[in-house]
Amino acid sequence: MDFSYYQLRAYLLKREEAQHAVFKLTELEELWRCTVKQCKRRLKQYQELGRLEYIPGRGRGNYSELIFQQAFQQEIQRVVEKALKEDSLTEVIELLQLDIPKEWFEEVFTEIQGMFGVKQSPDNQEILRYILRRPITSLDPLQTAVSREAFLIHQLGDTLLVHDAATHRLKAGLAHHWRVSEDYCCWTFFLRKGVRFHHGRTMTSEDVRHTLMRAKMAGSVVSWQLQNIVAVRCIDTYTVAVELRKGEPFFGHYVSTGNLTILPHDLPFEEQKWVSTGPFRIKEFSDQKVILEVFEEYYGKRPLMDRIEFWVIESQELPVTVSTERAFSKEDSYVEKYKKNTGVEFLIFNFRRQNIVQHPDFREAIYHLLDPVLMTEELEMGKVASRYYPEKSCIEPRMPEKIRRLLKKADYQGESIVLGSFNYLEARKKAQWVKNRASEFGLNIEIKELAIVDSFYTKEFEKQTDMMMMGDIPATDKELAFLDFCCNPNLLCQRFFSAEILEELDKKAEKMKFDPNYEQRQIEYEQIERWLTENNYLVYVSHPIKKELVHSTIEQQNGAFFSYLNLRTAWAEKDY
């Protein structure tokens, strides 16, 4: 399939009349990212193929004309049908990205749906295909702070220890045993023997030392966790000791996170290749797709699926997998499932910009304006949030009658306040709700949409927004998730708060993470939460409900959400 031709037709569709359209060559130069000379050559090739008639404009800068030989909708339907017959998922995905009416795909929705979920290749390989609504931002474990990327990293590598969410205890990982000194200043890990990396070499203590020292460097999202490391000593091939300046009871939790996945010391890290010890390894990685294949030499149990494919379809309107209103039966391919309280959504203020958000009365006005009961009811967002953890949240009454008085006390003069939001459908709805609600009280909100792929790891949030609507999906280690929420340099507390606020936050977080007692840490957590919310440094909004369509043959462990299914043990029952 010549995608450039369909790009051209989609680009000119809105100005096309009776299969006739006018354009300038400079437009195609930008669309196709090639020279004007190359654009002319390509158009003449299409003319020779009988697809169109090309009438060049007379003189520099004048409009040229194209007369297409067939209706665009018929061409799209024909090429989609051909791609479906040939199981050419790449071509289908490319066409789905075009800015064309999604109704053109209605007749083949079922067939497109069938290309996802569980598939079996001609050589009897079990394949599981996912849909991603955006490209992957970064799979560098020292950069990623996004849940989807963290989920992928978990499939590719392993950590020294594993956190058990049910018991709040640590279990053996790549280290089969570990020993901790009484003062928590020395952690010694005893490594499994015979663990192979994807490139074939056996893991040693030198790989652990390399991973920890690399992660300790400035700029790493976990450098805050490792700042007390004095030395990492390779006692022998399979024993490594970590010496800390200050005893850290929480250090074992740090080495159980995907950000500290053990990497080989003899290879520079490359996202496109991603060499580690995990049950899957990367076969292909591009903006359009990520394909994982099983690592046959994995030290643990072999995954039951042979290949996992993640395909990017950024269209928010297209229901590639569709549900029905009728009850689920064995004949259905997909069933809609829900998971409650998947993380927390909040609004946070940017103290790096010198404006009215610095004023406590203004922030209190926003607190009363953001009525989570109204918001969650009108947008079907989930459970009302007042804390980071769903089980600790409750409904706090809002007093909208205070809003105008608080805005007046803050000396609000009608200036625009920039609200940052991601550029996907659900985020747009929430941002628009806030804007509409604010206008009822004379507050002027300007929405600034940002793409997570382009802006998450840059300074765009800090530079362009006064406050931001954001969500956080914690890892299974909930205590560490909250500490990460507060201390991770890529997340918004560290990016938006002033030096004075951060100094106080860091003190409180230090007190929590250095306490060896779980119950006492929970008390310190509550103190941090009260301080954050009483000062309205951020406003919690909801614990969202996520829904998804799950292939009926996929076996899920302990009700796990399919989007974050444990791919190491997932399997699908064959339809005989």
Side-chain angles (χ1 to χ4, degrees), residues 513-565:
K513 73 179 185 177
F514 283 115
D515 199 308
N517 183 273
Y518 174 77
E519 286 73 21
Q520 186 59 37
R521 289 198 301 271
Q522 290 302 297
I523 293 172
E524 284 146 3
Y525 152 77
E526 285 288 355
Q527 291 174 349
I528 297 173
E529 285 278 54
R530 281 198 299 273
W531 174 74
L532 286 171
T533 55
E534 286 175 2
N535 287 286
N536 292 311
Y537 294 142
L538 55 79
V539 181
Y540 292 117
V541 178
S542 74
H543 299 291
I545 292 175
K546 298 288 185 182
K547 66 179 179 178
E548 62 183 6
L549 291 132
V550 180
H551 200 278
S552 59
T553 61
I554 294 172
E555 296 292 330
Q556 294 174 278
Q557 312 88 6
N558 301 319
F561 208 36
F562 179 57
S563 300
Y564 298 95
L565 193 66

Side-chain angles (χ1 to χ4, degrees), residues 1-14 31-32 72-73 75-77 79-80 90-105 288 312-318:
M1 182 184 75
D2 185 351
F3 183 62
S4 296
Y5 172 75
Y6 298 98
Q7 265 189 314
L8 170 68
R9 293 221 60 177
Y11 178 75
L12 296 175
L13 180 61
K14 291 179 181 177
L31 176 69
W32 285 335
F72 188 25
Q73 182 175 354
E75 288 187 324
I76 286 290
Q77 289 172 339
V79 72
V80 168
T90 299
E91 293 185 2
V92 173
I93 297 295
E94 287 178 338
L95 295 171
L96 291 173
Q97 310 297 343
L98 294 174
D99 185 15
I100 57 179
K102 303 311 174 193
E103 294 80 11
W104 292 4
F105 296 94
Q288 187 183 71
V312 177
I313 302 179
E314 295 188 73
S315 169
Q316 298 294 321
E317 294 78 19
L318 182 66

